């Protein structure tokens, strides 16, 4: 591995490494150094142990019948692709995949649209109001999701929850005092959706706002002089400028929402029945409630492969938008 | 356009009220005596504010044990991820070498994995090594999720440091190691603090790994303690649980507000002084 400090701007015509015999004098811009190797190896070794090895193990486990018995006896058998064929024939898996896709779409759409709205709102506010909204956003964002899930359970508690009381006051839905949210698929979804969106909007709003404040004023002024309405200015000028940022936060949101586990687990346990069992919950139940760990590993592999395409797009964009690598 | 301004301000006030409400409700419930918590008509302000819920929470027999577990695991995770991360970040930002891009891609890709993709194989490995229920199991799991992120964030701070500073140090005859430790590390200190806080939050908040690996009340960390906050005789003690949630969330919220300022300060402080 030939290494040249990043400060090197001159390259040999052939791109050849500098001759090793060149004595590195002071100010020499071309020293062979092993520094990055030494600097990287500790983190590299640790990452190999804690990430690459488990991923290899995940693949391996998905080809075995590793289950509850194995935990005690340590015996398991190689079963080839049986776990995968079983999985693809399992309607529960397909159902949870469809659920995950629909739910992710609903959450991403909700949080990105509201986030854009709040971002735009921030640009129209005076200093004091902007500060207040920012603090509110940061506090909502900062809530650990275990805590916010428990707060949600309390807000939506039948009989004593403030949400039911509030709906009751509206006098639109009849008597809602004892409305049970976790026991009804649509209502369980609604409350989880609200929680995810509530926590996702701050990140999106503040990130988009950082881009939106960079939109050159003169473009907007020019559009206004041409008689464009505020809506048209936003659509034509602002949206064009914040498009790359929007794409990044959308991809990130898809990845995060697709992987959501804690909130669903703590609010509905994937219930009632399997109604809110998205892929993450379904995998967890398979591996750690039924202890069909081989099967769980297979689902996890499939889940990861489905995400891989999107992850690749995200990483390509991130590397391209960054400084030269 | 005063009318328009008033409309925009009204929307902003409404937004603040709606968005902060869940947090307000958590705090409000935490300070209510038990009879005020479970009422058909909610009290929007505690009439007889009390600290009894907080006392209930911190005097639970598992609280101190679980707090200690959390502190130990989180401290180890933060230390590991910073020490390992800062060197890796320096290598990735200041040098060119073959395989650099690949390493960066791996670092980013790991962050996108679903939780179960690490949870299941780690469970299998730790079960085989008899590590389930140990601090080490959790620290390894957290380092796996936090270290790639730390490297990425700190790399951003390194990149922001102008190359001229380094060149000047080299011209003055500093070694690579000297440039690193005496020039670069002090300059990325704000980045290290921010990264440390991020790592703290990630490890402090984790529920999935702790819940799956620890399998015993005395081994739980605070998020698991929080979720298992139920009284077998009276159902969930919401007052106590909300007080516990306040205590658990407070450090994270404070850190978040600190990071905000720190990031901005760190970026503007890294300039070349003429």
């Amino acid at each position: 591995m030939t290494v040249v400090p990043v400060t090197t701007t001159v390259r040999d015509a052939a791109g050849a490494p500098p001759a090793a015999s060149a004595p590195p004098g002071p100010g020499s811009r071309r020293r062979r150094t092993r520094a990055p190797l030494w600097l990287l190896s500790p983190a590299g070794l640790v990452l190999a142990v804690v990430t690459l090895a488990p991923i290899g193990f995940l693949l391996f486990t998905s080809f075995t019948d590793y289950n509850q018995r194995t935990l005690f006896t340590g015996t398991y058998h190689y079963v080839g692709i049986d776990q995968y064929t079983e999985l693809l024939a399992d309607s529960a898996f397909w159902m949870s995949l469809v659920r995950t896709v629909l739910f992710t779409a609903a959450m991403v759409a909700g949080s990105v649209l509201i986030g854009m709205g709040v971002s735009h709102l921030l640009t129209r506010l005076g200093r004091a109001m902007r500060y207040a909204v920012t603090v509110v956003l940061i506090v909502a964002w900062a809530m650990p999701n275990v805590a916010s899930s428990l707060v949600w359970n309390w807000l939506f508690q039948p009989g004593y929850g403030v949400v039911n009381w509030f709906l009751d006051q509206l006098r639109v839905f009849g008597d809602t005092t004892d409305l049970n949210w976790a026991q009804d698929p649509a209502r369980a979804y609604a409350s989880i959706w609200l929680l995810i969106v509530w926590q996702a909007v701050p990140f999106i709003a503040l990130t988009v706002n950082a881009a939106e404040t960079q939109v050159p004023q003169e473009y907007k002024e020019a559009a206004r002089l041409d008689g464009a309405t505020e809506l048209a200015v936003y659509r034509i000028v602002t949206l064009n400028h914040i498009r790359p940022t929007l794409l990044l936060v959308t991809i990130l949101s898809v990845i995060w929402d697709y992987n959501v586990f804690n909130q669903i687990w703590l609010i509905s346990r994937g219930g009632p029945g399997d109604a809110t069992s998205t892929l993450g919950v379904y995998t967890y139940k398979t591996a750690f409630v039924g202890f069909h760990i081989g099967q769980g590993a297979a689902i996890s592999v499939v889940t990861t492969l489905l995400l891989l395409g999107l992850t690749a797009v995200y990483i390509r964009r991130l590397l391209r938008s960054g400084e030269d690598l | 356009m005063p009318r328009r301004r008033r409309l925009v301000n009204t929307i902003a006030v409404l937004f603040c009220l709606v968005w902060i409400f869940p947090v307000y409700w958590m705090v409000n419930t935490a300070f209510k005596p038990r009879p005020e918590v479970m009422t058909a008509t909610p009290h929007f302000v505690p009439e007889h504010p009390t600290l009894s819920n907080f006392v209930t929470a911190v005097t639970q027999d598992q609280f101190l044990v679980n707090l200690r577990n959390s502190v130990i695991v989180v401290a180890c995770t933060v230390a590991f991820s910073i020490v390992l991360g800062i060197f890796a970040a320096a290598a990735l930002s200041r040098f060119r070498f073959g395989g650099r891009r690949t390493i960066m891609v791996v670092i980013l890709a790991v962050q996108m994995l679903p939780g179960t993709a690490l949870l299941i194989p780690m469970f299998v490995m730790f079960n085989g090594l008899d590590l389930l229920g140990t601090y080490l199991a959790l620290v390894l799991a957290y380092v796996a999720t936090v270290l790639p992120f730390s490297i990425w964030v700190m790399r951003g701070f390194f990149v922001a440091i102008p190359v001229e500073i380094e060149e000047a140090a080299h011209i003055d005859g500093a070694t690579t190691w000297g440039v690193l430790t005496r020039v670069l590390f002090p300059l990325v200190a704000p980045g290290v603090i921010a990264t440390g806080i991020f790592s703290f939050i990630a490890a402090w908040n984790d529920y999935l790994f702790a819940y799956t690996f620890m399998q015993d009340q005395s081994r739980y960390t605070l998020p698991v303690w929080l979720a298992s906050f139920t009284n077998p005789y009276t159902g969930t003690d919401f007052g106590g649980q909300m007080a516990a949630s306040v205590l658990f969330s407070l450090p994270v919220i404070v850190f978040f507000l600190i990071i905000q300022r720190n990031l901005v300060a760190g970026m503007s402080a890294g300039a070349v002084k003429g």
Side-chain angles (χ1 to χ4, degrees):
Chain A
M1 192 162 70
T2 349
V3 182
V4 198
V6 83
T7 52
T8 312
T9 43
V10 197
R11 273 274 173 93
D12 287 9
S21 58
S28 153
R29 292 285 203 77
R30 297 179 161 215
R31 285 154 309 113
R32 286 176 61 105
T33 165
R34 289 192 170 282
L37 189 65
W38 292 116
L39 292 172
L40 269 173
S41 49
L45 282 175
V46 170
L47 279 180
V49 171
V50 296
T51 60
L52 301 181
I55 290 165
F57 231 90
L58 178 74
L59 279 168
F60 170 76
T61 310
S62 72
F63 294 110
T64 68
D65 67 352
Y66 204 105
N67 58 20
Q68 188 147 19
R69 188 197 61 230
T70 321
L71 291 178
F72 298 107
T73 63
T75 54
Y76 56 87
H77 308 287
Y78 178 75
V79 294
I81 57 163
D82 284 7
Q83 298 286 19
Y84 291 91
T85 48
E86 219 173 290
L87 184 66
L88 298 179
D90 182 5
S91 63
F93 163 74
W94 290 105
M95 285 294 290
S96 71
L97 177 59
V98 170
R99 253 181 239 126
T100 307
V101 171
L102 294 176
F103 200 23
T104 303
M107 291 194 281
V108 172
S111 45
V112 171
L113 288 173
I114 297 173
M116 284 167 72
V118 175
S119 159
H120 192 66
L121 179 69
L122 281 167
T123 60
R124 308 288 294 273
L125 295 172
R127 249 185 92 153
M129 262 336 278
R130 196 169 56 233
Y131 185 75
V133 172
T134 308
V135 169
V136 165
L137 286 172
I138 291 172
V139 171
W141 185 7
M143 278 280 286
N145 62 32
V146 173
S148 60
S149 303
L150 299 173
V151 170
W152 238 245
N153 283 340
W154 169 226
L155 290 169
F156 288 87
Q157 190 60 212
Y160 307 101
V162 69
V163 173
N164 281 358
W165 174 84
F166 179 74
L167 288 175
D168 202 44
Q169 297 307 301
L170 292 179
R171 302 266 183 267
V172 182
F173 307 99
D175 182 8
T176 57
T177 321
D178 291 321
L179 207 57
N180 195 323
W181 290 78
Q183 291 309 316
D184 172 84
R187 283 199 291 268
Y189 267 121
S191 64
I192 295 166
W193 183 87
L194 281 169
L195 169 58
I196 306 271
V197 169
W198 178 75
Q199 290 229 265
V201 160
F203 162 74
I204 295 168
L206 294 171
T207 310
V208 172
N209 183 253
E212 198 170 339
T213 47
Q214 300 296 313
V215 179
Q217 279 298 332
E218 44 282 16
Y219 283 55
K220 288 197 241 179
E221 288 305 325
R224 284 190 193 110
L225 286 174
D226 288 343
T229 59
E230 281 306 307
L231 194 66
V233 171
Y234 184 79
R235 221 187 51 231
I236 297 160
V237 179
T238 312
L239 266 187
N240 252 327
H241 273 92
I242 63 175
R243 186 164 292 139
T245 309
L246 275 180
L247 190 69
L248 277 188
V249 296
T250 305
I251 295 176
L252 262 185
S253 300
V254 171
I255 292 169
W256 288 339
D257 291 347
Y258 177 92
N259 288 331
V260 159
F261 173 84
N262 283 5
Q263 293 91 327
I264 300 178
W265 187 252
L266 290 167
I267 286 180
S268 69
R269 299 265 153 179
D274 269 338
T276 50
S277 270
T278 51
L279 278 172
V281 177
Y282 180 64
T283 315
Y284 192 86
K285 277 181 169 173
T286 305
F288 297 107
V289 180
F291 278 108
H292 303 294
I293 293 181
Q295 180 74 29
I299 308 169
S300 207
V301 170
V302 174
T303 307
T304 308
L305 289 176
L306 288 171
L307 252 195
L308 214 56
L310 203 61
T311 306
V313 173
Y314 176 73
I315 291 175
R316 282 226 343 250
R317 288 199 69 88
L318 208 59
L319 291 183
R320 220 185 293 151
S321 71
E323 51 309 307
D324 77 306
L325 290 166
Chain B
M1 290 185 287
R3 212 139 124 241
R4 181 153 244 176
R5 164 131 289 195
R6 207 169 326 151
L7 175 71
V8 170
N9 279 338
T10 312
I11 294 173
V13 169
L14 277 174
F15 172 83
C16 286
L17 289 175
V18 170
W19 229 254
I20 205 68
F21 185 78
V23 180
Y24 171 74
W25 205 243
M26 167 180 80
V27 176
N28 166 25
T29 307
F31 285 103
K32 281 178 185 170
R34 187 173 281 250
E36 276 180 53
V37 173
M38 304 300 252
T39 52
T41 310
H43 297 244
F44 281 80
V45 190
E47 275 161 47
H48 311 283
T50 167
L51 291 175
S52 66
N53 289 321
F54 292 93
V55 175
T56 309
V58 300
T59 52
Q60 279 219 323
D61 44 358
Q62 296 297 337
F63 171 73
L64 288 174
V65 180
N66 292 172
L67 172 65
R68 196 192 63 193
N69 294 344
S70 267
V71 169
I72 291 172
V73 170
V74 170
C76 291
T77 305
V78 172
F80 263 116
S81 61
I82 282 184
V83 172
L84 295 170
I86 194 166
F87 290 114
L92 289 174
S93 59
R94 299 323 248 194
F95 299 94
R96 282 194 187 290
F97 52 88
R100 218 162 125 260
R101 256 194 115 89
T102 317
I103 294 170
M104 309 252 285
V105 169
V106 169
I107 285 174
L108 283 171
V110 166
Q111 286 183 68
M112 306 298 165
L113 288 173
T116 51
L118 284 179
L119 184 78
I120 291 174
M122 280 193 166
F123 182 85
V124 169
M125 288 158 78
F126 294 150
N127 181 56
L129 297 167
D130 244 343
L131 284 176
L132 286 179
T134 63
Y135 293 140
L136 183 62
L138 274 193
V139 172
L140 289 174
Y142 296 165
V143 166
T145 44
V146 166
L147 180 56
F149 175 82
S150 302
I151 295 174
W152 187 254
V153 173
M154 279 198 269
R155 189 186 152 275
F157 280 91
F158 274 111
V159 168
I161 299 170
V163 172
E164 289 78 18
I165 294 186
E166 241 177 304
E167 286 175 347
H170 271 302
I171 289 165
D172 292 341
T175 58
T176 307
W177 180 251
V179 170
L180 205 61
T181 52
R182 275 188 276 157
V183 181
L184 290 181
F185 285 0
L187 283 174
V188 292
V192 170
I193 292 169
T195 309
I197 290 179
F198 277 124
S199 308
F200 168 92
I201 292 169
W204 179 258
N205 286 357
D206 168 76
Y207 170 78
L208 182 62
F209 286 90
Y211 177 66
T212 309
F213 289 171
M214 298 321 250
Q215 305 177 329
D216 179 72
Q217 273 211 311
S218 66
R219 296 268 164 200
Y220 283 162
T221 52
L222 286 183
V224 189
W225 169 78
L226 202 57
S228 58
F229 211 91
T230 46
N231 185 316
Y233 306 107
T234 55
T236 307
D237 166 17
F238 284 107
Q241 195 177 47
M242 289 305 109
S245 298
V246 170
L247 293 174
F248 177 72
S249 307
L250 210 55
V252 183
I253 293 174
V254 169
F255 271 143
F256 249 84
L257 294 165
I258 291 175
I259 279 190
Q260 280 295 319
R261 251 176 265 134
N262 242 343
L263 279 176
V264 176
M267 290 298 186
S268 50
V272 185
K273 300 271 187 303

